[in-house]
Amino acid sequence: MCGGFTCSKNTLVGLNVIYILVSFLMIGVAVHGKVSGIVTSLPIVGGITACGVFLLMISVIGLIGAVRHHQVLLFFYMVVLFLIFLIQFSCSCAALAINEGDEIKLIKSAWKTAETKSESLVIQAEQTFDCCGLGLGEDNIPYLKPSAADRNFTETREVFKNYPDAECYHAANVTMKKECLTCYSHISDKVNSGFNAAGGLGLFFSFTELFGGIVAARYRNLLDPFASGPAGAPFAGGM
């Protein structure tokens, strides 16, 4: 019967092994992104790494608790996993529920902050998507063709100096090509798909965490048939 001691133990061990692999994957992605220059923002790299380390710590605690049938570790693991489920479930639902107006406000706020505090991020975004300017007016209405201010920012910083084949390339005293568009027209679909993907995956994995918490709670209250303690002693698997 799968609800028995051995099945519950194996299920819990399997879940935590998966969590450990995911944590190593998160840490590896963050390090690779930083080393290769794909992600230049230290807060982003630090956040992904911290999440990976935290998940690794909780997974190791759960794995040790499952193998040893340790009451204290299982209780701590169960409580923390349930809290993670609540946070992840809420964030996933918020990501799936976000509408176009909210996306525009988030993109504009992030872009303006980058222009003020880290112009290199704006320059990297324009080079990556081959675009010029954000493309959102003061009233948050999108426009396709770069404005004079957009062109001035890109030209004065020589964003496409080393990219002669880019649509937004500009040589000295030469205007940009007509094909050059603003960045919002390039990134809006990617941001929307990113929110949907993150929300969907987060929602899926949040239920695996809830399942893990339920299995841990059940497993914690089961008697260990292989324990060497006195017959009939509850939770004989070691404290």
Side-chain angles (χ1 to χ4, degrees):
M1 178 173 139
C2 194
F5 181 88
T6 302
C7 184
S8 298
K9 177 180 179 179
N10 293 338
T11 301
L12 206 54
V13 169
L15 280 174
N16 284 286
V17 169
I18 293 174
Y19 293 155
I20 290 174
L21 294 177
V22 171
S23 68
F24 280 125
L25 180 63
M26 292 174 67
I27 296 172
V29 167
V31 173
H32 171 71
K34 180 59 182 175
V35 171
S36 62
I38 298 173
V39 182
T40 59
S41 175
L42 287 177
I44 294 176
V45 175
I48 297 175
T49 305
C51 289
V53 171
F54 181 73
L55 180 60
L56 177 62
M57 180 186 69
I58 295 300
S59 302
V60 170
I61 290 174
L63 188 61
I64 296 174
V67 171
R68 298 186 58 188
H69 198 225
H70 196 289
Q71 299 298 301
V72 177
L73 290 181
L74 285 173
F75 178 78
F76 178 76
Y77 171 78
M78 181 178 62
V79 172
V80 172
L81 206 61
F82 182 71
L83 293 176
I84 294 175
F85 161 74
L86 291 178
I87 296 172
Q88 188 168 328
F89 180 81
S90 302
C91 293
S92 300
C93 290
L96 291 173
I98 196 169
N99 55 38
E100 184 179 1
D102 294 330
E103 288 180 6
I104 289 176
K105 291 178 181 177
L106 287 172
I107 293 172
K108 187 174 183 179
S109 175
W111 190 276
K112 295 299 182 184
T113 302
E115 282 184 334
T116 304
K117 298 183 178 180
S118 180
E119 286 187 355
S120 61
L121 289 178
V122 176
I123 293 173
Q124 185 183 28
E126 291 189 350
Q127 291 173 344
T128 301
F129 296 106
D130 192 3
C131 57
C132 175
L134 176 58
L136 290 173
E138 295 297 328
D139 52 1
N140 290 338
I141 295 179
Y143 57 88
L144 291 178
K145 296 298 181 180
S147 65
D150 296 332
R151 292 194 298 270
N152 180 64
F153 178 91
T154 302
E155 291 172 357
T156 55
R157 289 157 181 81
E158 299 181 332
V159 174
F160 295 98
K161 180 180 180 180
N162 299 321
Y163 301 89
D165 296 329
E167 292 182 349
C168 293
Y169 173 75
H170 49 85
N173 301 321
V174 177
T175 58
M176 294 181 182
K177 302 175 184 177
K178 294 186 295 183
E179 292 81 7
C180 180
L181 301 176
T182 57
C183 293
Y184 180 77
S185 60
H186 291 275
I187 66 177
S188 58
D189 290 339
K190 293 179 175 61
V191 170
N192 184 55
S193 62
F195 273 119
N196 290 335
L201 286 173
L203 194 63
F204 172 77
F205 282 107
S206 68
F207 284 109
T208 67
E209 291 159 2
L210 178 63
F211 176 71
I214 293 173
V215 172
R218 176 179 176 81
Y219 175 65
R220 182 173 178 269
N221 292 321
L222 290 174
L223 293 176
D224 186 354
F226 308 105
S228 58
F235 313 127
M239 290 289 286

